[in-house]
Amino acid sequence: MFSSVIVVTDRTVLDAQLQEAIHQINRTTGVVAHIDGLTGSKSSELAEALESGTHIVVVTIQTFPYALDAIADRTTLRGRSFAIIADEAHSSQAGGASNKLKQVLSQAELDEVAQGGAVSAEDMLAAETKARAEAGNISFFAFTATPKATTLELFGRPGPDGTPQPFHLYSMQQAIDEGFILDVLRNYTPYKTAFRLSHNGKTYATSDTGEGTVAVTTEGGDDDLVDRSAAVKSVMNWVKLHPTNISQKVQIIVEHFRQNVAWRLNGQAKAMVVTSSRKAAVRYKLAFDKYVTENGYTDVAALVAFSGEVTDPESGTDEPFSEVSMNPGLKGRDLRDAFATDEFQVMLVANKFQTGFDQPKLVAMYVDKRLGGVQAVQTLSRLNRTFPPLKDQTFVLDFTNEVDDIVDAFAPYYEATTLADVTDPNIVHDTERKLSVAGIYERSEVDGFANAFLAREGHNALVKWVAPAADRFTVRMRSAVEASNAVEIDELQMFRKDVGTYVRQYEFLSQLFDYEIPWLEKLALYLKLLAPQLRSGEKDTPIDLSAVAIDYLGHHRQATRDGELSGGTPLEPAREAGTGTVRDPDMVALDEVINRINDLFAGNHPDSSVRNVVTHIKDRLEESETLKTQAQNNSLAQFRASPDIDVAFTDAVIGSMDSSADLSAQILNNRDLARALLGELLPAVYRTLSKAS
């Protein structure tokens, strides 16, 4: 069937595991080629493997582009067919990277267009577009436990109702029932963080929050004004990274691990701590080592995993931290290999090993990071590996997320992942029209860019064609900022967002549809280089937190729950051409930000009218353009599943603080009350929005 099978993965860790697994299948020399650059350049290794007809070629998605030029010039690949196995098929295989695969292996089609002499840019781009949508010599096989809507559209086969469906399904539910993986939502324990802050000597009421909801007041004050959103983010991040906060969480983690986890698997059980940032990972490691040393614990030791170097003078040194410097026990070993030994029991991670990490001895996970959607499923699923016959349950302690939110994230993938509808290919045209009316780029510049791109004139030649548009944008933004022209600033910021939207839409949809319009291809190439050169023109003002202090901080364990999963929620495809909105800064005093963060959960306030609060919340929800668009394009059931509703609801409750701070705080602080109120309001809100003109 195929000349070669190319296994493509988007992460080095998974690539190593795949190579090991494939190598066990057949040890015959010449059957499997591992493109690792050990015997030469990766591009020459890959080209040679394909040319010689090696049956199985294992590469990373990052490695493959190195071979583009070498493979494109070889005629020996003509007439051959290829199977592409995309393991863990996420965005990398659904965007520009897989386009490059198709462009290379469909080079024969481009050569046919060019027969007989010179070929125009229009012909070349038309051929590339057609090859991308109809590559006849490539078969894609995509494997994933967490398909996105775009993945289903790209790889799925049309079902009876016309929507793309997977060729084969082995569901999470079936795997759990048959004992191949564990249910990670059993024994799920959330924690609430309570704290009291002071600013410039003023002390405010106690807060109790899961990092989810904060608010501000606007009662005046003579302090310097700050952006409401930026201030809330800065304050909450400051609290999250505060040494007292982290040290208390470390104590909870270590003691829970030693009492409930360490003795499992005959003493081989391990745990992972998921932190919110590289700086948080550094501070967790310092606090962890300090705590176990002070308590004389020799039965628990931690490794920390993060990329690059982190500078954190507040930790007491100006020297940068790195994995090597913070893990002296590695002794040259890979982190995975060292963690697999009995020397280390806990792995502290920051955006590493949350996906594609296979360690069956993981029994517990301690989460101090906001997780949602696919990321939540992939992160917690590090625990689901079995370790027969010893591993029969897992533990999750979560300082940040709610159980119901995690269950909602798992729901689409539990029984079967389905797509509510297919993406309308015309949204590419809609976005292109939005961009064209902005007057930032000229058609002649896009054409010149495309000619230089196809002639491979180099990066400098391409930048020359993009520079005029970047300059126009910069000049207009600077003038708008200086003139305080809010309308012009909003239009320019929307242009920036729509540029990214167009590139993503076209890169995905051009793999499904042959647009037969070279202009769309040229514009996508042009905007991809233009996007990083568009600047907002506005400088963020740093928030001064030097006068803020924590007077009290504590972590309160909530009831342990088992997340109950049921049927999946259909994934929604892309429907609109750039529906983002621009937020105006809301300037308030920093004292007021902290005051409302604390007052949000305080109870000593006078009663207010329930009617006024509910009416205010309903009116605010009905004013949302985002919710209006979603209501007009979805059923009530689909509308209820929108993550934007929770955001809009929280904003509305926060906005009702002026009429009743007490009732609003109760709503924000009582999840059951909030869900009940929202459930009562949504049908009426949906009816109003779906009929709005």
Side-chain angles (χ1 to χ4, degrees):
M1 289 293 293
F2 304 106
S3 303
S4 296
V5 175
I6 303 175
V7 182
V8 186
T9 181
D10 61 354
R11 286 183 295 275
T12 303
V13 172
L14 281 181
D15 181 49
Q17 293 170 358
L18 278 172
Q19 291 188 26
E20 295 167 5
I22 292 174
H23 192 61
Q24 294 173 6
I25 295 173
N26 195 323
R27 293 183 176 274
T28 304
T29 303
V31 172
V32 180
H34 303 162
I35 308 305
D36 49 23
L38 296 179
T39 61
S41 68
K42 292 183 179 180
S43 59
S44 61
E45 282 188 17
L46 181 51
E48 183 178 340
L50 293 177
E51 189 177 45
S52 63
T54 302
H55 294 317
I56 302 175
V57 182
V58 184
V59 298
T60 62
I61 197 70
Q62 293 84 5
T63 296
F64 202 95
Y66 296 150
L68 295 183
D69 294 338
I71 298 177
D73 295 335
R74 302 188 182 214
T75 59
T76 53
L77 296 182
R78 293 180 181 177
R80 298 190 184 187
S81 58
F82 298 88
I84 309 294
I85 294 182
D87 182 67
E88 293 293 328
H90 303 131
S91 300
S92 293
Q93 282 79 32
S98 66
N99 292 347
K100 292 181 179 180
L101 296 178
K102 293 184 178 182
Q103 289 172 20
V104 171
L105 300 179
S106 303
Q107 187 66 36
E109 294 191 39
L110 300 181
D111 293 340
E112 291 174 5
V113 174
Q115 283 179 356
V119 61
S120 68
E122 302 289 323
D123 291 335
M124 291 288 287
L125 289 167
E128 284 197 16
T129 304
K130 187 174 188 299
R132 182 178 297 150
E134 300 178 357
N137 62 334
I138 301 177
S139 295
F140 267 92
F141 301 88
F143 296 85
T144 177
T146 51
K148 297 179 181 178
T150 53
T151 307
L152 278 176
E153 287 201 70
L154 179 62
F155 296 108
R157 296 185 174 190
D161 60 354
T163 60
Q165 298 179 357
F167 171 75
H168 181 266
L169 171 69
Y170 184 70
S171 69
M172 183 185 300
Q173 179 188 27
Q174 185 178 355
I176 292 173
D177 291 343
E178 296 180 353
F180 288 102
I181 62 173
L182 299 174
D183 183 356
V184 300
L185 297 189
R186 291 178 56 198
N187 300 321
Y188 197 106
T189 305
Y191 270 74
K192 293 287 188 180
T193 302
F195 57 91
R196 183 171 59 247
L197 305 178
S198 62
H199 182 239
N200 285 328
K202 299 178 182 178
T203 301
Y204 301 103
T206 301
S207 289
D208 188 297
T209 175
E211 297 288 342
T213 310
V214 290
V216 296
T217 186
T218 54
E219 298 175 353
D222 52 6
D223 292 345
D224 292 336
L225 296 184
V226 296
D227 177 4
R228 178 199 306 256
S229 178
V232 168
K233 182 178 180 181
S234 294
V235 170
M236 296 306 296
N237 189 56
W238 180 80
V239 172
K240 178 181 281 288
L241 291 176
H242 197 278
T244 301
N245 189 14
I246 290 180
S247 64
Q248 287 189 11
K249 290 177 181 177
V250 164
Q251 179 179 356
I252 294 171
I253 291 169
V254 173
E255 297 302 335
H256 178 274
F257 178 81
R258 296 184 73 245
Q259 295 172 19
N260 301 281
V261 180
W263 53 270
R264 297 178 184 274
L265 311 189
N266 290 336
Q268 300 178 69
K270 298 181 182 296
M272 177 178 286
V273 179
V274 181
T275 69
S276 59
S277 65
R278 297 189 305 150
K279 181 178 287 187
V282 167
R283 295 192 179 184
Y284 257 98
K285 181 63 163 66
L286 296 174
F288 195 100
D289 290 347
K290 179 181 179 181
Y291 183 79
V292 297
T293 299
E294 290 177 347
N295 287 275
Y297 294 156
T298 58
D299 56 348
V300 56
L303 292 169
V304 63
F306 60 90
S307 59
E309 294 184 340
V310 176
T311 302
D312 185 18
E314 295 178 28
S315 296
T317 177
D318 292 330
E319 294 296 321
F321 295 96
S322 68
E323 281 185 349
V324 174
S325 66
M326 299 202 78
N327 296 311
L330 278 181
K331 301 177 182 176
R333 293 173 295 179
D334 180 80
L335 275 171
R336 289 187 303 151
D337 296 334
F339 188 53
T341 69
D342 294 334
E343 298 175 55
F344 302 98
Q345 293 73 38
V346 179
M347 176 82 83
L348 311 164
V349 303
N351 296 323
K352 289 185 72 173
F353 300 112
Q354 286 181 232
T355 57
F357 180 56
D358 185 17
Q359 175 47 262
K361 296 178 184 178
L362 276 179
V363 173
M365 182 172 288
Y366 305 94
V367 182
D368 194 17
K369 176 181 181 178
R370 176 68 61 189
L371 298 174
V374 172
Q375 185 188 43
V377 178
Q378 292 176 348
T379 299
L380 296 183
S381 292
R382 297 311 99 208
L383 289 174
N384 69 15
R385 274 64 169 164
T386 59
F387 191 74
L390 302 174
K391 184 177 174 182
D392 59 357
Q393 62 179 313
T394 62
F395 299 86
V396 177
L397 265 63
D398 198 324
F399 296 100
T400 302
N401 304 280
E402 297 283 351
V403 179
D404 292 338
D405 294 335
I406 299 298
V407 170
D408 290 343
F410 272 78
Y413 312 105
Y414 183 59
E415 290 185 355
T417 306
T418 58
L419 197 62
D421 200 353
V422 295
T423 303
D424 180 2
N426 291 315
I427 63 175
V428 168
H429 300 292
D430 296 338
T431 308
E432 187 271 334
R433 282 191 290 270
K434 286 184 65 178
L435 291 169
S436 64
V437 299
I440 299 296
Y441 55 82
E442 300 288 344
R443 191 180 187 95
S444 59
E445 294 165 357
V446 178
D447 290 335
F449 175 92
N451 290 326
F453 176 84
L454 292 170
R456 299 184 179 181
E457 295 180 5
H459 182 73
N460 291 337
L462 299 179
V463 171
K464 180 187 70 174
W465 289 105
V466 171
D471 291 341
R472 289 188 201 101
F473 182 91
T474 300
V475 170
R476 285 173 55 176
M477 179 61 80
R478 185 184 301 118
S479 299
V481 171
E482 293 174 352
S484 298
N485 187 339
V487 174
E488 175 73 358
I489 292 174
D490 286 354
E491 289 178 353
L492 292 171
Q493 289 180 339
M494 282 307 306
F495 177 83
R496 290 176 62 219
K497 294 182 179 181
D498 289 342
V499 164
T501 298
Y502 178 83
V503 171
R504 290 190 298 272
Q505 288 175 345
Y506 184 79
E507 283 193 342
F508 167 61
L509 289 171
S510 63
Q511 298 179 79
L512 303 176
F513 307 100
D514 181 4
Y515 283 99
E516 299 183 347
I517 303 176
W519 166 254
L520 299 178
E521 176 82 10
K522 290 191 287 188
L523 184 61
L525 295 170
Y526 175 86
L527 293 178
K528 200 166 187 177
L529 186 60
L530 175 63
Q533 302 189 45
L534 303 179
R535 300 287 184 263
S536 67
E538 299 176 279
K539 295 183 179 179
D540 295 330
T541 303
I543 308 298
D544 181 11
L545 301 177
S546 59
V548 180
I550 290 182
D551 296 331
Y552 164 79
L553 187 145
H555 303 279
H556 305 287
R557 177 173 179 165
Q558 310 299 296
T560 299
R561 289 179 52 188
D562 291 342
E564 296 294 334
L565 285 165
S566 57
T569 303
L571 298 174
E572 288 294 324
R575 296 185 182 275
E576 298 294 333
T579 57
T581 58
V582 178
R583 181 189 66 83
D584 289 328
D586 186 2
M587 306 307 289
V588 295
L590 179 57
D591 256 349
E592 299 165 10
V593 172
I594 296 175
N595 190 8
R596 185 53 62 90
I597 288 175
N598 293 307
D599 280 351
L600 187 62
F601 301 97
N604 298 321
H605 294 274
D607 291 338
S608 184
S609 169
V610 173
R611 180 181 295 276
N612 288 341
V613 173
V614 173
T615 301
H616 173 88
I617 294 172
K618 181 175 181 293
D619 290 344
R620 286 288 297 271
L621 291 175
E622 292 173 350
E623 292 170 2
S624 170
E625 290 296 324
T626 299
L627 296 186
K628 183 172 104 172
T629 300
Q630 294 176 354
Q632 292 175 343
N633 289 279
N634 292 276
S635 67
L636 175 58
Q638 294 167 339
F639 180 67
R640 284 181 182 274
S642 169
D644 295 316
I645 289 177
D646 286 338
V647 176
F649 178 74
T650 300
D651 288 344
V653 176
I654 292 173
S656 69
M657 283 287 181
D658 289 338
S659 59
S660 175
D662 180 60
L663 287 174
S664 301
Q666 288 184 44
I667 295 169
L668 290 168
N669 207 21
N670 187 327
R671 192 170 188 82
D672 292 335
L673 174 61
R675 287 184 179 277
L677 176 58
L678 186 57
E680 292 294 328
L681 289 177
L682 271 186
V685 172
Y686 175 78
R687 286 194 298 270
T688 301
L689 292 176
S690 60
K691 297 177 182 178
S693 60

